[in-house]
Amino acid sequence: MKLQRMNRRAIALGALAASSALVLTACGSDDNGDSSGSSSSASASTQAGSIKCNDAKGQLLADGSSAQKNAIDAWVAQFSKACGVQINYKASGSGAGVTSFNQGQLAFAGSDSALKPEEVTASKKVCSGGQGIDLPMVGGPIAVAYNLSGVDNLVLDAPTLAKIFDSKITKWNDAAIKKLNPDAKLPDLKIQAFHRSDESGTTDNFTKYLIAATPDNWKYEGGKAWQAKGGQAAAQSAGVAAGVKQTNGAIGYMELSYVADGMKAVSIDTGASAPVAPSSDSATKAIADAKVIGTGKDLSLQLNYTTKADGAYPITLVTYEIACDKGNKADTLPATKAFLTYIASEDGQGLLNGLKYAPMPADIIAKVRTTIDGLS
């Protein structure tokens, strides 16, 4: 875990060095740039100087999506430096974050799934005169990471993925995998499929993709809790990533930012002209197809998991920040608004490409900024 924190810190520092060159809807390289020397100091100074603190003070407690943890870490470093506000984001998972928010324990929560109707109802007890709303803030591909010696460019499609994660395909040299990878040297090795043990919006979005893209092969109803039989369970994205990295023959789903040395990401055969690899660019192309389906100030999105557009990666999620539209606690409201305003800003969104996330499309993030400005 210590090494993982160091890796995340290194990634975040690299992203800061490149942030001044990024724009809101840019979909550039995943190269993080040079994080050393005067250029890094100048970029960090520019970031801190552009943040509006607006009477923010004290501490904020937040929890939820582990998918956005690397983005939150980078944002918190800049915001805390500028405003002196301590933000403790626990990243216990989307389910835990929503539960804690609705118990009145958090200033805001992060969730990779929009609030369900019953969760909105529960939030009204905490948001005096208002309710919890979804603010789309972080986009990104859910990578299917694998660890398989000698295989560098694995291609899979939705039916094959479904059968792997439902324990219907159990060997790497299965005929279905061979058909998609005719030039690969696939070993006679057992597949070790890792999934989340905790309730997770990453699971919810991954299974939404399987349900939409191959309903005949994925008969489960979906949701934040994993439902298929078999496989290896691990807590949070970090746990799934660790399991895959440590196990030859392993495969698991996680945010692209967790795919580190020792793992590679599957390219998905969507029916487009070529298989699509997960990237900030391919995720943004998919999110551009999303529709706002929330009502009132809620900005929840409907993603198109069956896209066949060239270069659009279909297994994509959006992480929402959840806050009260009205009835936020008076002692945390200034800091909450200031932090959310920063992360929705051009500078805040500009950090995401360097961290292997995708910024929100311009029209969506414009609505987010207006909504944050009206929080009370």
Side-chain angles (χ1 to χ4, degrees), residues 85-135:
V85 175
Q86 180 181 344
I87 301 176
N88 181 8
Y89 186 81
K90 295 170 62 178
S92 299
S94 296
V98 172
T99 297
S100 295
F101 178 81
N102 282 341
Q103 291 173 346
Q105 299 175 7
L106 309 176
F108 68 91
S111 177
D112 308 322
S113 300
L115 292 168
K116 297 178 181 178
E118 62 269 23
E119 292 170 337
V120 173
T121 298
S123 73
K124 294 179 180 180
K125 298 178 181 178
V126 176
C127 305
S128 179
Q131 66 179 48
I133 56 172
D134 300 289
L135 301 170

Side-chain angles (χ1 to χ4, degrees), residues 59-63 86-88 97 100-101 104-110 126-127 321-324 327-329 331-337 339-340 375:
Q59 301 181 0
L60 294 181
L61 179 62
D63 195 3
Q86 180 181 344
I87 301 176
N88 181 8
S100 295
F101 178 81
Q105 299 175 7
L106 309 176
F108 68 91
V126 176
C127 305
E321 311 311 331
I322 296 169
C324 298
N328 289 277
K329 294 179 180 178
D331 58 339
T332 59
L333 177 60
T336 299
K337 286 186 69 172
F339 181 67
L340 294 179
L375 297 181

Side-chain angles (χ1 to χ4, degrees), residues 263-277:
M263 293 181 278
K264 297 179 178 67
V266 170
S267 293
I268 303 298
D269 183 346
T270 65
S273 61
V276 185

Side-chain angles (χ1 to χ4, degrees), residues 264-338:
K264 297 179 178 67
V266 170
S267 293
I268 303 298
D269 183 346
T270 65
S273 61
V276 185
S279 69
S280 295
D281 180 47
S282 61
T284 297
K285 287 182 179 178
I287 296 170
D289 269 347
K291 298 178 180 179
V292 176
I293 59 172
T295 58
K297 294 183 179 180
D298 186 85
L299 297 175
S300 57
L301 304 176
Q302 183 179 65
L303 299 173
N304 180 10
Y305 294 102
T306 59
T307 180
K308 291 181 173 59
D310 284 346
Y313 184 78
I315 321 176
T316 300
L317 62 75
V318 169
T319 295
Y320 302 94
E321 311 311 331
I322 296 169
C324 298
D325 58 354
K326 298 178 181 179
N328 289 277
K329 294 179 180 178
D331 58 339
T332 59
L333 177 60
T336 299
K337 286 186 69 172

